[in-house]
Amino acid sequence: MRWVRWCIVIFLGIAGSAEGQSAAAGLYVEGNQLYRAGDFSSARLRYEAAVRTGIRDPRLLYNLANATYKTGELGLAIVLYERALHLAPRDEDILANLRFLRRLKQDRDPEPASGLGGFIERVYLWPTSDELAVGWLLSLLGLFGSAGWRRWRQMPVLHTGVAVGLLLCLSIGGFALSRSQRDGRVEVVVTHAEGIARSGPDAQQTEVFVIHEGTKLVVERSEGDWYLARLPSGLGGWLPASVLTEI
């Protein structure tokens, strides 16, 4: 029914024309119905068509990732879950499915850090870039509010408040800059059965290592149709772009 489609449009937060919103909502509904019926290939086609309308919604990407995995493409499913995670960093369903698929792939990921190092890493990764930006803005407003107090020169406690505000502002700003640089990295996933990393951007160069479908790397630079990419372990090599998909 038409009202159901419009409710889903609002729920998804789709941007664009009314016609595009209605079409995308219809595709999303059809995809869900086909998925529940076990027709994963057709469901995937509907979700992909909805994505092409310009939707940026983690639930749509999550459903598309589910259908993609069901049709046998583990690497591409991981890419789609990662894209959904960028939009909803703390979504437990996305995180759970990502953990599940990572256990299925051939190459093992490094064990997460434990103890104090692991705690610091989790704290570092917990806030989103948007939350850090809001925190920095609030600390900046607090700093100016303290500094603008009419009698702050006669009140030592406000000297302390300004100093604390400045320290907080600089700390959050530095933290946000560090995270923005990290979040701005180009990450790729192997979406073919395997990829052969070489010592240079040419198929005749020496083989360095072999990686398999689903493995994630960070791109350092590109040359032609080749990427110089690095594993979390630090090992790097040149891989053909044809075996990789950008997150």
Side-chain angles (χ1 to χ4, degrees), residues 167-232:
L167 179 61
L168 185 62
C169 185
L170 291 174
S171 298
I172 295 178
F175 190 32
L177 178 61
S178 172
R179 276 294 304 276
S180 67
Q181 291 173 340
R182 181 188 184 279
D183 294 344
R185 300 180 307 180
V186 176
E187 295 179 314
V188 293
V189 172
V190 179
T191 47
H192 281 226
E194 68 175 28
I196 300 174
R198 299 188 179 276
S199 58
D202 187 282
Q204 305 306 314
Q205 296 292 325
T206 304
E207 180 180 316
V208 179
F209 59 88
V210 177
I211 51 175
H212 302 88
E213 186 177 14
T215 299
K216 184 166 74 170
L217 307 96
V218 175
V219 174
E220 294 192 348
R221 68 176 190 272
S222 62
E223 187 172 319
D225 294 329
W226 291 78
Y227 286 131
L228 175 59
R230 198 166 297 280
L231 293 163

Side-chain angles (χ1 to χ4, degrees), residues 85-98:
L85 194 64
H86 283 179
L87 299 175
R90 303 189 195 105
D91 188 289
E92 288 299 328
D93 291 331
I94 298 172
L95 289 167
N97 283 14
L98 256 180

Side-chain angles (χ1 to χ4, degrees), residues 5-29 50-57 59-60:
R5 291 191 176 188
W6 280 109
C7 286
I8 293 172
V9 168
I10 295 171
F11 182 66
L12 289 174
I14 302 170
S17 66
E19 294 81 7
Q21 291 176 351
S22 181
L27 290 165
Y28 183 79
V29 170
V51 169
R52 286 195 295 272
T53 66
I55 295 175
R56 282 180 52 82
D57 186 273
R59 287 155 296 200
L60 173 59

